[in-house]
Amino acid sequence: MHTREEKLEAFGRFLDVLDTLREKCPWDRKQTNESLRPNTIEETLELCDALMKNDSHNICKELGDVLLHVCFYAKIASETNDFDIADVCNQLTEKLIFRHPHVYGEVKADTAGEVTQNWEQIKLKEKDGNKSVLGGVPDALPSLIKAYRIQDKARNVGFDWEKKEDVWDKVKEELGELQEELDRDDHEKSTDEFGDFLFSIINAGRLYHINPDNALERTNRKFIRRFNYIEQHSIRQGRPLKDMTLEEMEHQWNEAKAAEREA
């Protein structure tokens, strides 16, 4: 691993290259916050993909791409004297110090749970109490992640189940209400109840320390692997996938499951 001096030197060299590109490259010169935004989203998702695969090589690569975007936005802002990368780093450092009084202050917290108990209160103090508990949840978050964050923020101020096991009664209640609306064939109310059911399942995952987005993505990847196994079988047989019977597909699906267990 590199020394602190080597890390600072590498970061300085990167900033020098970014400055040069912004000045001399036609593409880099024309970029704005708005034009970079879609690429930022794409780079962030590519990093998330590498993280899910635990692919160290690509994690390193994608972290670099995300870092480029962070510094690029700061570079654009510096050109209008709004802020620069030093301001970004200094604000982040001050925030980290303020949010960790158990490290930099007199507050005692020996476990991660004790740290998170005060997290939302600390963040509210940063906003002088003018921001609501849920106000920090970005509107643009994907709905599944947003639900988890909403529940987690509510938990941090005491709005939560006393016993995690009690959540299953709520899950069953929401499932029953969903089934009732489906039986009535009321699409609007069924949609509402389906949302309530999903919200309760996400809540259950949170209470049992299971991140629902990670869990669902694991299942997505598992389904893709097994479905690809079926598709490859049909290719080897020279048959279109649509010509396979459901029974044949289920047989190949179970073969794929068995192969995963043996791996």
Side-chain angles (χ1 to χ4, degrees):
M1 289 292 100
H2 296 89
T3 65
R4 185 173 187 272
E5 289 73 21
E6 289 172 332
K7 293 172 185 175
L8 290 173
E9 182 182 355
F11 189 58
R13 179 169 175 256
F14 159 64
L15 291 178
D16 288 341
V17 169
L18 179 59
D19 287 344
T20 300
L21 294 177
R22 180 66 171 171
E23 178 186 353
K24 297 183 178 180
C25 173
W27 187 89
D28 289 277
R29 196 164 52 233
K30 70 179 287 189
Q31 297 311 307
T32 64
N33 286 343
E34 185 177 359
S35 69
L36 283 174
R37 181 179 174 275
N39 291 338
T40 305
I41 295 170
E42 182 179 346
E43 297 296 355
T44 304
L45 293 174
E46 288 177 355
L47 171 59
C48 292
D49 188 56
L51 290 167
M52 284 299 297
K53 293 176 180 175
N54 199 26
D55 183 339
S56 295
H57 173 76
N58 276 320
I59 289 173
C60 182
K61 172 181 173 294
E62 299 303 340
L63 281 171
D65 291 341
V66 171
L67 177 62
L68 169 60
H69 281 247
V70 171
C71 293
F72 210 143
Y73 290 120
K75 175 64 178 175
I76 292 171
S78 72
E79 294 165 357
T80 54
N81 294 317
D82 290 332
F83 61 86
D84 62 17
I85 192 63
D87 296 309
V88 173
C89 292
N90 286 331
Q91 283 194 28
L92 174 59
T93 300
E94 292 303 319
K95 180 169 68 174
L96 288 173
I97 292 171
F98 183 76
R99 291 187 181 180
H100 292 79
H102 52 287
V103 177
Y104 295 99
E106 302 300 322
V107 174
K108 181 177 175 58
D110 296 322
T111 67
E114 290 173 344
V115 172
T116 57
Q117 282 178 1
N118 296 322
W119 192 257
E120 294 303 325
Q121 293 299 327
I122 291 172
K123 288 197 283 187
L124 283 174
K125 288 179 182 177
E126 288 178 333
K127 304 297 182 182
D128 298 322
N130 292 326
K131 196 167 187 178
S132 70
V133 171
L134 301 182
V137 180
D139 290 336
L141 275 181
S143 297
L144 191 150
I145 299 174
K146 185 190 291 186
Y148 186 87
R149 293 292 293 126
I150 287 170
Q151 294 166 2
D152 197 46
K153 282 182 173 289
R155 172 190 66 84
N156 285 332
V157 293
F159 190 74
D160 203 4
W161 301 94
E162 290 187 5
K163 296 188 298 182
K164 64 182 180 182
E165 294 82 4
D166 293 343
V167 73
W168 297 114
D169 289 334
K170 185 63 174 176
V171 171
K172 293 172 185 175
E173 175 190 330
E174 297 296 352
L175 178 59
E177 292 176 359
L178 169 60
Q179 290 172 326
E180 287 178 9
E181 297 304 335
L182 289 171
D183 291 341
R184 293 192 182 102
D185 200 24
D186 188 320
H187 181 73
E188 284 300 313
K189 289 185 178 179
S190 294
T191 300
D192 288 342
E193 295 299 339
F194 191 78
D196 291 347
F197 175 64
L198 287 177
F199 196 83
S200 68
I201 286 289
I202 292 167
N203 215 354
R206 177 186 61 81
L207 288 164
Y208 283 85
H209 307 292
I210 297 171
N211 184 291
D213 188 64
N214 290 344
L216 182 58
E217 182 56 21
R218 285 191 186 188
T219 297
N220 288 340
R221 293 177 184 275
K222 181 168 58 180
F223 184 93
I224 290 170
R225 285 196 310 271
R226 294 175 182 177
F227 193 84
N228 285 345
Y229 185 94
I230 298 172
E231 191 171 30
Q232 289 301 314
H233 175 77
S234 72
I235 291 172
R236 287 193 298 271
Q237 288 192 329
R239 299 169 58 195
L241 190 60
K242 62 182 179 62
D243 289 346
M244 290 182 66
T245 66
L246 181 57
E247 184 178 5
E248 288 175 313
M249 290 185 182
E250 288 181 345
H251 177 75
Q252 293 302 315
W253 181 274
N254 290 328
E255 275 193 8
K257 286 177 62 177
E260 288 175 1
R261 287 194 295 266
E262 293 171 2

